[in-house]
Amino acid sequence: MRTPRQQFGTASEALAASHLRQLGYRILETNYRTRQGEVDIIAEDAEVLVFVEVKARGSFRFGSPKAAVTPTKQRKIALAGLFYMKASGKMGSRIRFDVVAIDTTSGKPEIEVVKNAFQPVFG
């Protein structure tokens, strides 16, 4: 049985994927997990391979959704992305790291896509 927090996360990721599709992204993978970390959504936007972190908040008690993508989280996403590129034969691809921030504090989800939210950090 999933906790309410897990259900909120799953619903938020589905909402983000739907929104990205409307913007023209082609979803390749969701919840891609490796020992290095997890990428919520892997997509293509035109000719660019995009690794997307989804952050949603029902309150700002723990800060804004965008602020939750810390340098440690960025590193884990970048490492998982590198693993994906190696495993899928996409090492020569142009890449980008986006964040989808979802604010549900008003009751109606407000979605913001932050393109090039961060640069990969390895080390």
Side-chain angles (χ1 to χ4, degrees):
M1 182 119 136
R2 304 192 75 152
T3 67
R5 181 176 171 197
Q6 290 170 325
Q7 291 172 357
F8 179 71
T10 299
S12 297
E13 289 173 6
L15 179 62
S18 176
H19 186 74
L20 291 172
R21 280 188 194 94
Q22 290 174 358
L23 294 175
Y25 288 59
R26 187 167 73 92
I27 307 301
L28 303 175
E29 300 270 349
T30 57
N31 298 309
Y32 182 80
R33 288 180 171 85
T34 70
R35 287 186 357 191
Q36 292 75 22
E38 177 188 354
V39 180
D40 292 329
I41 299 170
I42 300 172
E44 288 180 336
D45 182 22
E47 298 295 318
V48 180
L49 184 62
V50 186
F51 300 97
V52 182
E53 176 68 7
V54 178
K55 286 295 179 187
R57 292 287 186 262
S59 78
F60 290 120
R61 182 173 159 208
F62 297 107
S64 74
K66 289 185 283 188
V69 186
T70 64
T72 299
K73 183 67 174 173
Q74 292 172 17
R75 181 175 180 274
K76 289 180 179 183
I77 295 166
L79 287 171
L82 179 62
F83 188 88
Y84 174 81
M85 289 187 300
K86 286 180 181 178
S88 65
K90 295 183 182 280
M91 283 302 292
S93 299
R94 288 185 16 218
I95 64 168
R96 188 174 77 216
F97 294 87
D98 292 359
V99 171
V100 175
I102 303 173
D103 174 1
T104 64
T105 57
S106 68
K108 179 182 180 229
E110 295 178 32
I111 304 169
E112 178 184 4
V113 178
V114 182
K115 292 184 177 185
N116 287 308
F118 62 90
Q119 295 299 312
V121 178
F122 301 102

